[in-house]
Amino acid sequence: MTTTSFPASVHASRLDRASALAAEAGLDGIVVGPGPDLQYLVGVEGDTIERLTALVLGPGIAPTVVVPRMELAKVRSTAVGDLGLAISDWVDGDDPHGLVAGILTGASRVGVSDALPALHVIPLADLLGVSLELATPVLREGRMIKDADEIAELRRAGRAIDAVHRRVPEWLRAGRTEREVAADIAASIVDEGHRTVEFVIVGSGPNGADPHHEVSDRVIVDGDVVVVDIGGAVPSGYNSDSTRTYVVGTPDSVAAERIAVLVRAQQAAVDAVRPGVTAEQVDAAARGVLAEAGLAEAFLHRTGHGIGVSVHEEPYIAPGNDLVLREGMAFSIEPGIYFAKEWGARIEDIVVVTADGCERLNETPHALTAV
Ligand code: ZN
Ligand code: ZN
Ligand code: ZN
């Protein structure tokens, strides 16, 4: 079960803010199930699915954690215990939905976190006699704007993953499989200060053309372009995520030229980030550079995603997202180009929006790195 380690006072203000935002949204209560929302609010992710763990909060409701007794000690060791939050524990045979409904007696508009399983949503709606709604807009508001402590953790995560990228040339070479290289990288992700390895993508040659490729037993050969996209969570629970593109030996000249364009596209998007600009404008900055070079069709995904206690969260830097960027938002800038059956490339940094631009949290060289 993932826990975070901020002072209880930080969690107290996050809880207050969530209740205030719920009130503003006209909700009488919110039920937060296991997942990143719970981790953000009280410092523990919760790991039960069929046994209900939930935080109930809202205007005029003392935040209450409903938890299976077998998880109680673990949950109490987090901000839940430090803040002395109300706890309603239950054992197999009890009806936890009844406990939640009891806390929400009289509520007519109730929101649920997007990770609350349907297994609990449906019985709860039946008991409350109301139709539940998504509390996502309320819950994302807090998580989307990072405070100074959260930014410090994202910086720590950025430095840790940069240290891993600096060591990739030690492991990436012709004759090794993607899986062997990935195993060395995974060990280093932990060595360099992460608590968990969240993902290791080593996409060599044609495998790099699939943005979803993770690893395989393909043997890397001389001349391969290799996408290495890696990340983990540092002990506070905040995540790193950085991609660099490497070449084993000498790249062919077309690939080298196209990757140089990609590096410029990534820089153009980073340069576009500042408060007041929309997410889609940042996406368009990267897309525009690629389009000018005739590479628009090769860019198969959005430019980026928010990051925090989860690897993918709001804001999404994508076409059609007119969300206005604000100071404290943290997200990836990761355009890529993909040529089916040939090769692919992607460059990814995490940035945090500052008062007049952005701070880049990854500092290893962007240009194609020969190993
Ligand atoms: Zn029930
Ligand atoms: Zn990534
Ligand atoms: Zn990413």
Side-chain angles (χ1 to χ4, degrees):
M1 182 168 2
T2 308
T3 55
T4 50
S5 50
F6 283 109
S9 59
V10 169
H11 290 289
S13 63
R14 290 177 184 178
L15 286 165
D16 285 347
R17 179 119 197 279
S19 286
L21 288 165
E24 253 175 59
L27 292 172
D28 301 312
I30 289 181
V31 182
V32 183
D37 287 318
L38 193 64
Q39 191 182 341
Y40 175 78
L41 288 170
V42 296
V44 60
E45 188 179 25
D47 60 1
T48 56
I49 296 300
E50 84 285 6
R51 290 193 176 95
L52 177 66
T53 296
L55 166 70
V56 185
L57 57 84
I61 297 174
T64 303
V65 177
V66 175
V67 61
R69 194 162 299 157
M70 54 190 289
E71 309 282 347
L72 188 57
K74 179 82 182 183
V75 165
R76 264 210 181 115
S77 72
T78 65
V80 173
D82 297 341
L83 292 172
L85 296 189
I87 291 175
S88 189
D89 61 323
W90 60 278
V91 294
D92 291 343
D94 292 346
D95 179 13
H97 306 111
L99 296 177
V100 173
I103 299 162
L104 292 169
T105 303
S108 55
R109 281 190 60 201
V110 175
V112 296
S113 67
D114 53 17
L116 188 71
L119 184 67
H120 302 305
V121 169
I122 308 266
L124 200 52
D126 284 348
L127 271 181
L128 287 167
V130 301
S131 60
L132 298 173
E133 50 195 287
L134 283 171
T136 317
V138 167
L139 293 169
R140 80 173 165 208
E141 182 60 25
R143 281 176 54 197
M144 210 161 46
I145 309 292
K146 270 69 181 180
D147 65 23
D149 292 326
E150 294 180 282
I151 293 168
E153 291 306 316
L154 287 169
R155 267 191 210 112
R156 183 193 310 276
R159 281 194 301 270
I161 210 67
D162 282 1
V164 180
H165 268 300
R166 286 195 188 94
R167 296 192 59 192
V168 165
E170 294 174 32
W171 308 307
L172 182 60
R173 57 177 176 271
R176 303 193 78 202
T177 66
E178 291 176 356
R179 202 177 303 281
E180 287 166 342
V181 174
D184 288 330
I185 289 173
S188 169
I189 287 175
V190 173
D191 283 350
E192 298 295 348
H194 295 86
R195 178 183 61 189
T196 57
V197 178
E198 293 296 319
F199 54 90
V200 177
I201 295 174
V202 178
S204 66
N207 289 341
D210 170 10
H212 279 149
H213 176 80
E214 288 182 15
V215 293
S216 76
D217 292 313
R218 180 180 183 275
V219 176
I220 292 161
V221 298
D222 201 50
D224 272 353
V225 172
V226 186
V227 177
V228 176
D229 184 354
I230 52 181
V234 294
S236 60
Y238 283 75
N239 284 279
S240 64
D241 184 4
S242 177
T243 311
R244 293 294 182 258
T245 300
Y246 298 84
V247 63
V248 180
T250 313
D252 81 61
S253 58
V254 173
E257 253 170 59
R258 287 176 173 175
I259 292 169
V261 174
L262 176 64
V263 171
R264 280 198 285 120
Q266 201 264 357
Q267 184 63 47
V270 171
D271 290 342
V273 175
R274 63 182 175 278
V277 162
T278 64
E280 65 185 345
Q281 284 175 313
V282 173
D283 178 88
R287 222 165 276 283
V289 172
L290 292 171
E292 250 174 58
L295 294 171
E297 298 295 309
F299 183 15
L300 302 177
H301 50 74
R302 64 190 175 212
T303 292
H305 55 83
I307 189 165
V309 292
S310 63
V311 180
H312 290 168
E313 59 185 44
E314 306 229 22
Y316 293 102
I317 309 303
N321 186 1
D322 61 3
L323 180 87
V324 175
L325 300 183
R326 281 176 282 162
E327 191 173 351
M329 287 181 176
F331 47 83
S332 70
I333 299 287
E334 53 174 309
I337 48 176
Y338 308 93
F339 306 95
K341 299 190 171 65
E342 295 179 44
W343 57 276
R346 181 164 64 256
I347 305 290
E348 174 179 27
D349 294 321
I350 302 303
V351 300
V352 180
V353 182
T354 58
D356 56 1
C358 72
E359 175 185 347
R360 201 197 288 258
L361 303 188
N362 300 104
E363 291 170 346
T364 60
H366 296 88
L368 185 62
T369 302
V371 297

